[in-house]
Amino acid sequence: MKLVELLKNFSYQVVKGDITTEVTEILFDSRKKVERGSVFVCISGAVHDGHQYAKAATEAGAVAVIAEHEVLVPEGVCLVVCENTREALACMSAAYFGYPANELTTIGITGTKGKTTTAYMIRNTLELAGYPTGLIGTIEVMIGDRRIPSYNTTPESYYVQKYFREMVDAGLKCVVMEVSSQGLMLYRVGGFIFDYGIFTNLEPDHIGPSEHKDFAEYLHAKSLLFRQCKMGIVNYDDEHMREIIKNATCEIETYGISEGADLRAAEVDLHCSEGKLLVSYKTEGLIALPVTVGIPGKFTIYNSLTAIALCRHFDIPEKMIQEALLSVKVKGRVEPVEISKHFTLMIDYAHNAMSLKSLLTTLLDYHPKRLICLFGCGGNRSKSRRYEMGEISSKYADITVITSDNPRDEEPMDIIEDILEGVRKQNGTYVTVPDRKEAIRYCIKNAEEGDVIVLAGKGHEDYQEICGVKHPMDERILIQEILNEMPEEERAAL
C-alpha cells in the first residue's frame, strides 16, 4: 500500500521524501520489532516519547516517519509532520485495514459505570436475534468464538481497526464496544463514526496526574462520543446528561425512570425466586413490554433499559429482547453461580470500598436472611483500601469472610491483618480463612436458607498472583471442585 493512501482524512505536511513510497505495516510502539518497509508513527505517551525512537526505527528498516515536529531521519526516508499523531494513527489504521467500520453497525458505550454489563446485554440480545456481534471491552474482545483478554477498556486505535477487520472477515454484522474517556481523548476510536453512541452515567473518577486534570475535562472527554455518532442514546436521569449532549451533533433519545424520558421503566420489582435475584419492570414510551432481568440491583434497570433502547432500532421481536435480558450473564459482574435453590451465590469484581459498598447495598435491597461477603485485598497496593473495604464489609454484611486475593510480594496474613483493622471498626461477624478455596468452601457449607453469598474482588480474573507469578485460579472452577469433593448427600441437600 502506498503511504499517500494512508494519509487521507487528516492534515499533514511532507517535510522530506516521497509519500508515494510503498509501506508494509504501521508501527507505533518502539518496543515492537520494526518490520522493513513500515511506517513509524511517533506517539507521545505518559512515560515515553516516540519521537525519541524515530531514528532507531528508520535504521531498523522503517521507510517513513509520522511526527508532530521535525526529527532526524536518514536520506531516502519520508518524514511527514502533522498536528496530532494519535489522530493520524487512527485515520491511518482505518485506511490500512480497509475502513472495516463501514461494514459493521458500530455501537459505542461511555460512562463511569455500567459499560461492561450494558455491552453484554446488547450483544446477548443482538446475537439471539440473529445479528452476529463482536465485543470490545474491559474484560475481553469477542470475535465469534474467539476470546482475547483485554488490557485497556478501549485498545489503541490500530487494534480497534484490526479487530473490526477480523470481525468483518468472520462474518459479524455489528460490534458493541466500551469507550473510555481516555479512549475518546486519545483518539483510540478516531477514524470512523459510530452508528450509535450510548451514555450510562457520570461520577467523579479517573481524575489525576496520568488521566484527567479535573472533572470538567473528564466530562468533556465523555461528551466527545456524541460528536462522533449518528444516534445518541443517553440516561435522562443523570444530572450531567444535558452537559454531555450540549454540543452533540447527532440525534438524541433518552431513557430512564423519570417522566421526561423517551423510554421509561415503571412498576419496578426487586425479588428473589429459587435462589435467583431478579429485577422486573414494565417499559413505557417508545416501547411497552414487561421485562425481567437475571442480574440484581436497581442499576440493572438502567443497563437493561439501555439495551432495550438500542435494540428497538433493529426491529427485534419483543419476545427475543425479554428472553435475552432474562438469560444474560456478565463474567464477574454480580454473576450468579447457580448451585442451590435455597441460597444465592454470586461472583463480583468489587475491589475497592466504593464498589464494595455499592454491591452490598444493592444485595441488601433483596432482604437476605444473611448477607455473607468473602473478599481479600491485593498486595503491593495502598493499605488504606484494606482498612476501608474491611470497614464497609463489616458494616453492611452480616458475616465477612476474609481471605487472600492477589498477595503479590506480600504475606497473605499481613494483608488480612490490615483488613481486620477496618473490620473491627464495625460490629459485623467475621472469620479469616487465608486459602481462597477453603474460604469459599466455608461459605457454601455454612450457608442457610435465604442467604446471599458474594465472592468479591476477583470477578472475571482467572489467576492469583504470588511473588510475580500468576497461578491459574478461577472461582467458578474452585466452586465446581468443592461441589465434586462433597459427599453426595451433602451436595443433594444444597
Side-chain angles (χ1 to χ4, degrees):
M1 179 178 285
K2 294 185 184 298
L3 176 61
V4 68
E5 295 173 14
L6 302 180
L7 301 180
K8 299 176 181 178
N9 302 319
F10 69 96
S11 300
Y12 61 89
Q13 178 184 358
V14 181
V15 176
K16 182 179 180 181
D18 182 4
I19 59 173
T20 65
T21 188
E22 290 284 339
V23 294
T24 57
E25 177 64 284
I26 300 172
L27 294 175
F28 58 94
D29 187 338
S30 60
R31 297 167 296 183
K32 302 285 185 178
K33 183 179 178 180
V34 176
E35 180 178 323
R36 184 163 297 278
S38 60
V39 51
F40 182 73
V41 183
C42 302
I43 300 294
S44 299
V47 179
H48 301 289
D49 184 351
H51 293 80
Q52 298 174 355
Y53 305 100
K55 185 172 183 290
T58 58
E59 290 173 349
V63 297
V65 172
I66 312 298
E68 292 178 356
H69 54 75
E70 291 193 31
V71 292
L72 288 175
V73 296
E75 286 300 322
V77 172
C78 182
L79 174 62
V80 174
V81 172
C82 63
E83 184 176 346
N84 189 309
T85 50
R86 286 190 177 275
E87 180 185 15
L89 177 63
C91 294
M92 292 171 68
S93 298
Y96 180 76
F97 288 105
Y99 301 101
N102 294 342
E103 302 175 63
L104 294 164
T105 298
T106 51
I107 304 155
I109 306 172
T110 199
T112 305
K113 295 179 181 178
K115 296 189 296 296
T116 299
T117 300
T118 300
Y120 278 86
M121 285 181 171
I122 289 172
R123 182 183 181 273
N124 199 46
T125 308
L126 292 176
E127 283 271 328
L128 188 65
Y131 295 92
T133 301
L135 183 144
I136 301 175
T138 303
I139 298 174
E140 61 192 345
V141 176
M142 302 173 69
I143 305 173
D145 294 330
R146 288 175 59 201
R147 301 290 187 273
I148 305 166
S150 290
Y151 300 100
N152 291 310
T153 297
T154 308
E156 194 59 75
S157 59
Y158 176 90
Y159 292 106
V160 169
Q161 296 295 334
K162 180 176 183 288
Y163 293 144
F164 282 1
R165 172 47 57 196
E166 292 175 4
M167 290 175 186
V168 171
D169 292 346
L172 304 189
K173 301 302 180 185
C174 308
V175 57
V176 56
M177 66 180 295
E178 299 179 47
V179 182
S180 66
S181 54
Q182 289 285 309
L184 287 159
M185 188 172 71
L186 299 178
Y187 290 94
R188 291 177 186 167
V189 290
F192 71 100
I193 301 295
F194 283 98
D195 292 293
Y196 298 94
I198 293 170
F199 167 66
T200 60
N201 52 62
L202 194 68
E203 296 179 11
D205 200 4
H206 301 290
I207 296 168
S210 61
E211 294 187 275
H212 300 285
K213 65 179 181 180
D214 53 30
F215 183 74
E217 182 180 278
Y218 179 52
L219 186 152
H220 171 73
K222 293 290 189 185
S223 73
L224 294 176
L225 179 58
F226 302 97
R227 305 179 205 178
Q228 194 187 328
C229 67
K230 300 172 185 176
M231 167 66 74
I233 298 173
V234 300
N235 180 356
Y236 183 84
D237 296 343
D238 189 88
E239 62 178 309
H240 303 289
M241 183 271 290
R242 286 168 181 78
E243 295 171 89
I244 287 288
I245 64 171
K246 183 178 179 181
N247 296 305
T249 57
C250 60
E251 295 182 59
I252 295 291
E253 288 183 359
T254 62
Y255 65 92
I257 298 176
S258 301
E259 190 63 33
D262 297 323
L263 177 68
R264 302 177 297 280
E267 301 180 35
V268 174
D269 179 28
L270 308 181
H271 58 102
C272 180
S273 175
E274 296 185 335
K276 300 176 183 178
L277 305 185
L278 307 170
V279 179
S280 296
Y281 61 89
K282 293 181 179 179
T283 64
E284 299 175 344
L286 293 174
I287 186 173
L289 73 158
V291 177
T292 297
V293 190
I295 298 175
K298 292 178 180 176
F299 55 83
T300 293
I301 301 167
Y302 285 97
N303 294 339
S304 55
L305 273 176
T306 309
I308 295 167
L310 183 282
C311 289
R312 79 176 194 88
H313 287 278
F314 288 77
D315 296 321
I316 297 173
E318 293 180 1
K319 186 177 181 180
M320 284 188 177
I321 294 176
Q322 292 167 317
E323 183 181 341
L325 293 178
L326 180 60
S327 63
V328 69
K329 284 186 180 181
V330 183
K331 191 174 184 180
R333 301 300 195 273
V334 280
E335 175 191 352
V337 183
E338 297 173 10
I339 66 170
S340 174
K341 293 183 179 180
H342 303 293
F343 62 85
T344 302
L345 177 62
M346 315 197 82
I347 295 173
D348 192 82
Y349 188 51
H351 59 289
N352 58 42
M354 181 187 300
S355 58
L356 188 63
K357 180 181 177 180
S358 175
L359 171 65
L360 296 180
T361 54
T362 290
L363 297 177
L364 284 172
D365 285 338
Y366 288 84
H367 307 292
K369 179 181 180 181
R370 299 182 305 176
L371 178 55
I372 302 168
C373 176
L374 176 151
F375 79 98
C377 287
N380 302 6
R381 298 293 186 269
S382 169
K383 286 193 174 187
S384 63
R385 175 178 292 188
R386 304 170 190 176
Y387 308 143
E388 292 165 357
M389 289 185 69
E391 186 172 358
I392 288 294
S393 183
S394 186
K395 179 177 180 179
Y396 292 100
D398 297 289
I399 301 174
T400 297
V401 180
I402 310 159
T403 187
S404 185
D405 193 293
N406 292 321
R408 298 186 176 90
D409 297 320
E410 292 192 62
E411 286 295 324
M413 282 308 302
D414 291 342
I415 298 172
I416 287 173
E417 285 300 323
D418 288 337
I419 295 171
L420 285 170
E421 284 194 39
V423 168
R424 293 177 181 132
K425 290 182 180 180
Q426 299 293 334
N427 298 318
T429 301
Y430 64 89
V431 61
T432 60
V433 186
D435 183 281
R436 199 167 185 105
K437 180 177 177 179
E438 293 308 311
I440 296 170
R441 190 193 310 273
Y442 173 88
C443 292
I444 292 174
K445 292 195 71 171
N446 290 279
E448 298 179 5
E449 182 85 30
D451 283 352
V452 172
I453 303 166
V454 60
L455 314 180
K458 296 297 291 178
H460 60 275
E461 292 180 354
D462 58 4
Y463 64 87
Q464 186 174 47
E465 186 177 343
I466 303 172
C467 297
V469 179
K470 289 185 176 181
H471 301 270
M473 191 191 77
D474 187 317
E475 290 184 318
R476 298 148 201 82
I477 295 175
L478 296 184
I479 291 167
Q480 191 56 54
E481 289 176 354
I482 292 166
L483 295 177
N484 293 341
E485 292 161 6
M486 292 176 69
E488 189 174 333
E489 60 274 15
E490 283 189 25
R491 185 169 178 177
L494 288 178

